[in-house]
Amino acid sequence: MSSKKPHHHGNLRAALIDAGVALIAEGGPEALSIRGVAARAGVSHAAPAHHFPSLAHLRGAIVAEGFRRFTQAMEEEIAAGSDAPRDRVVGAGRGYQRFARENPGLFHLMWGGNKCADDPEIDAELREAAGASFEVLRQVCAPITPGGAGAEGNELFVWALAHGLASLTLAGFGQELVPGSAEDRFEAVLPPLKFG
Amino acid sequence: MSSKKPHHHGNLRAALIDAGVALIAEGGPEALSIRGVAARAGVSHAAPAHHFPSLAHLRGAIVAEGFRRFTQAMEEEIAAGSDAPRDRVVGAGRGYQRFARENPGLFHLMWGGNKCADDPEIDAELREAAGASFEVLRQVCAPITPGGAGAEGNELFVWALAHGLASLTLAGFGQELVPGSAEDRFEAVLPPLKFG
DNA sequence: TGTACATCAGTGAACGCGCGTTCACTGATGTAC
DNA sequence: TGTACATCAGTGAACGCGCGTTCACTGATGTAC
């Protein structure tokens, strides 16, 4: 093993994103800064400029990474349950709750409206990552019998219920009404659904 | 009318809170600062210290004011509808959506987990204001027939659905699934409820 | 109705801090020949 | 395989900015007598 500290980092871009995720996990979205991620990644505070033109670009890349992990959390919980249509909806909802609980700062950043870069490359990455998350929701909701607002109404209903429950839980509300983990609370409040 | 600028403001505390609400409306929760509210209220940046010991105290007072306006929005929408149990639930949900749409920055600040003061006085004010909001929800949900998760389950269900829909709408999602205003979307996705 | 005086609510200067960004630079990498 | 050289990815100093907070101060208010 070489004891010389290499001048080139190797994959600083990914390391900066990981450092940003860690900073946000510890201090919330406000804790994200160029200088902070640089220090955490062990480089000078000017180094990130070679990978992200601005803080907004870094934020966009981190949000995209958040959506990828969010998709993964939902897919894992869906896979952990049965293939029954309702269990797949419950799985997505459980993944939603788990991701929010495990990544509260990231969750807020993803949905909180903080400014991200307008850069076309970052924007495309973000759009693709978020689109994959929405696609998971769409697929588990597709088998639900369309109601008054159509199949899209079902998707928005499940999405809003899962999102609202996660947000309220992060804000500290809900436990006093329905005890248990956030994941279990989603199952508890999900009303009967018709399929087919 | 006196043309002399009075040394004493009269009710600077209230003016600072209003200025803070305006700043947040224009630039989001991040835009709130001691110096900003002072400038907007037309006083020196040191003046707020006589009314709020720290930024966290000012933030707490503003969040409390937000909850008072939130309660008012729900009560107005409930009063605008019929006394039928379902219409009262719909009214609360419509008020939820309207408040979020009209006060997006305040909405994020209220639920976003930004640090507020631990000061007992501010804390009591905040607790009372938020408690009044929750009480409105509790009362409109009380007539719903208790399901598996009890009456509290119904309340959490309606609360999460309304909150999630408002959050998604502010983040720019939902319109493509169910067209119309956020208020109308709440009615559209609210499933049948049993009362009595 | 006066007057002395304590208290209150402002001002303006100053502090140190962390921030994003820029700049000239330097060492490492990788490629053309 | 060697060498010249363009390019890349870092460094460290410096910039200006807005921030929260503190401080000595001053003018206005209101109260005791």
Side-chain angles (χ1 to χ4, degrees):
Chain A
M1 103 191 209
S2 165
S3 63
K4 286 186 299 180
K5 193 170 178 191
H7 182 75
H8 281 47
H9 181 282
N11 197 359
L12 183 54
R13 195 191 131 96
L16 292 171
I17 291 176
D18 282 348
V21 169
L23 280 183
I24 290 166
E26 291 169 7
E30 323 270 303
L32 181 69
S33 72
I34 294 276
R35 295 176 101 105
V37 293
R40 191 163 189 120
V43 294
S44 83
H45 63 260
H50 289 275
H51 300 272
F52 302 100
S54 77
L55 177 59
H57 285 79
L58 172 60
R59 194 149 41 202
I62 289 174
V63 168
E65 174 64 19
F67 272 105
R68 284 189 288 270
R69 298 186 185 187
F70 175 50
T71 300
Q72 191 184 351
M74 286 193 290
E75 286 175 340
E76 284 172 3
E77 294 291 330
I78 292 169
S82 88
D83 280 351
R86 185 171 216 275
D87 283 347
R88 287 172 56 83
V89 174
V90 167
R94 293 181 65 91
Y96 216 115
Q97 311 308 310
R98 199 194 82 199
F99 176 82
R101 176 169 46 76
E102 290 177 348
N103 309 275
L106 209 43
F107 186 86
H108 277 132
L109 187 66
M110 286 159 60
W111 306 98
N114 296 60
K115 274 276 163 272
C116 293
D118 268 343
D119 184 273
E121 195 166 336
I122 293 277
D123 204 57
E125 184 191 354
L126 212 166
R127 230 171 255 278
E128 186 188 337
S133 297
F134 306 156
E135 183 62 18
V136 171
L137 281 168
R138 202 191 65 78
Q139 286 188 3
V140 300
C141 291
I144 306 174
T145 305
E152 292 83 3
N154 288 330
E155 184 185 348
L156 183 56
F157 167 77
V158 170
W159 191 1
L161 186 63
H163 191 86
L165 193 65
S167 298
L168 291 179
T169 302
L170 290 192
F173 302 106
Q175 286 96 336
E176 75 285 4
L177 293 174
V178 178
S181 69
E183 287 93 321
D184 291 346
R185 270 204 299 284
F186 180 76
E187 272 190 87
V189 299
L190 185 67
L193 301 171
K194 291 177 186 169
F195 295 92
Chain B
M1 103 194 209
S2 166
S3 63
K4 287 185 301 182
K5 191 168 176 191
H7 183 75
H8 279 50
H9 182 283
N11 197 358
L12 185 53
R13 195 192 132 95
L16 292 171
I17 291 176
D18 281 347
V21 168
L23 279 183
I24 290 166
E26 290 169 7
E30 323 270 302
L32 181 68
S33 71
I34 293 277
R35 296 175 100 105
V37 294
R40 190 162 191 120
V43 294
S44 83
H45 63 259
H50 288 275
H51 299 271
F52 302 101
S54 78
L55 178 59
H57 285 78
L58 171 61
R59 194 147 44 203
I62 289 173
V63 168
E65 174 62 20
F67 272 106
R68 283 189 289 269
R69 298 186 186 189
F70 176 49
T71 300
Q72 190 184 352
M74 285 194 290
E75 286 175 341
E76 284 171 3
E77 295 291 330
I78 293 169
S82 89
D83 280 352
R86 185 171 216 273
D87 283 347
R88 288 172 55 82
V89 174
V90 168
R94 292 181 66 91
Y96 215 115
Q97 310 307 310
R98 201 194 82 198
F99 176 82
R101 176 169 46 75
E102 291 178 347
N103 311 274
L106 209 43
F107 185 86
H108 276 132
L109 187 65
M110 285 158 61
W111 305 99
N114 297 56
K115 273 276 162 273
C116 295
D118 268 342
D119 183 273
E121 196 166 336
I122 293 277
D123 205 57
E125 184 190 357
L126 212 165
R127 229 173 256 278
E128 183 187 341
S133 297
F134 306 156
E135 182 63 16
V136 170
L137 282 168
R138 201 191 65 77
Q139 287 187 2
V140 299
C141 291
I144 306 174
T145 305
E152 292 85 1
N154 288 331
E155 184 184 348
L156 183 56
F157 166 76
V158 170
W159 190 2
L161 187 63
H163 190 88
L165 193 64
S167 298
L168 292 179
T169 301
L170 289 191
F173 303 106
Q175 285 97 336
E176 76 284 3
L177 293 174
V178 178
S181 69
E183 287 93 321
D184 291 345
R185 272 205 297 286
F186 180 76
E187 272 190 87
V189 300
L190 185 67
L193 301 171
K194 291 178 187 168
F195 296 91

